[in-house]
Amino acid sequence: MTEYRYGLPSPTGVEGMTGKEILQAIIDSRLPQAPISQQMTFWITEVGDGFAAFEGEPGPHLLNPMGGVHGGWALTLIDSVGGCAANTLLPAGIGYVTIETKGNFSRPITVKTGRVRAEAQVVSQGRQVISAEARVLGPDGKILAHGTTTVLVIGTGKQGVAGKTEL
């Protein structure tokens, strides 16, 4: 398993970087993985225009009282990968917050499932709202969960000294 470092980048450390550039810097280990990644044992591994992918390791720390991995883990993966897919389309100085996440659980996830892959693709991009569809896939490629994430774009983005663009 890859060794990651976790934390938040300083605002000056990401100044002038687009959302996609920030995420690629995390993948390249130039910036740390988000703190939630350590607790939830998932990591961003790939980005493209309107696309993001994570990998995750279900473990005993994620079990519900029935002995399965809690559905909140898959839902958090859907929200995280969908938000990152949206973030790949944002200019420097612009952020987002989730306004809705919906998930459907197709197959049980257990500690024996093995490494999963979550992928999201933006399906709708407006000035203020972006939606992405996401899938959580097992090692065999079967869909374990799927859903959507919708985010609200925040920040002014008006042209300024740092070269930010207006939305």
Side-chain angles (χ1 to χ4, degrees):
M1 179 151 64
T2 305
E3 281 294 319
Y4 295 107
R5 63 187 176 98
Y6 302 92
L8 297 174
S10 69
T12 57
V14 296
E15 188 174 4
M17 294 174 74
T18 67
K20 184 178 174 184
E21 290 169 340
I22 292 168
L23 295 173
Q24 189 62 56
I26 293 170
I27 293 165
D28 296 341
S29 298
R30 292 180 283 126
L31 292 174
Q33 293 274 343
I36 191 173
S37 294
Q38 184 174 22
Q39 301 303 316
M40 300 293 272
T41 56
F42 60 61
W43 311 272
I44 187 164
T45 59
E46 186 181 344
V47 292
D49 294 332
F51 173 83
F54 278 60
E55 290 183 2
E57 291 282 347
H61 64 292
L62 301 169
L63 296 181
N64 63 28
M66 302 304 294
V69 171
H70 191 281
W73 185 69
L75 190 62
T76 303
L77 262 170
I78 289 167
D79 180 48
S80 297
V81 74
C84 286
N87 197 27
T88 66
L89 301 175
L90 298 180
I94 302 297
Y96 68 92
V97 294
T98 300
I99 56 175
E100 181 181 57
T101 297
K102 180 192 179 304
N104 298 286
F105 308 115
S106 304
R107 289 183 171 78
I109 301 174
T110 71
V111 294
K112 294 180 181 177
T113 297
R115 185 169 284 215
V116 304
R117 179 175 170 90
E119 301 176 344
Q121 182 69 51
V122 168
V123 294
S124 175
Q125 179 184 9
R127 281 179 10 106
Q128 294 183 297
V129 176
I130 301 172
S131 294
E133 293 179 343
R135 297 197 265 171
V136 180
L137 307 168
D140 58 2
K142 290 183 179 176
I143 295 175
L144 304 173
H146 60 96
T148 58
T149 296
T150 302
V151 302
L152 177 68
V153 177
I154 56 173
T156 61
K158 296 185 188 255
Q159 187 66 35
V161 177
K164 298 175 184 170
T165 56
E166 185 173 344
L167 281 182

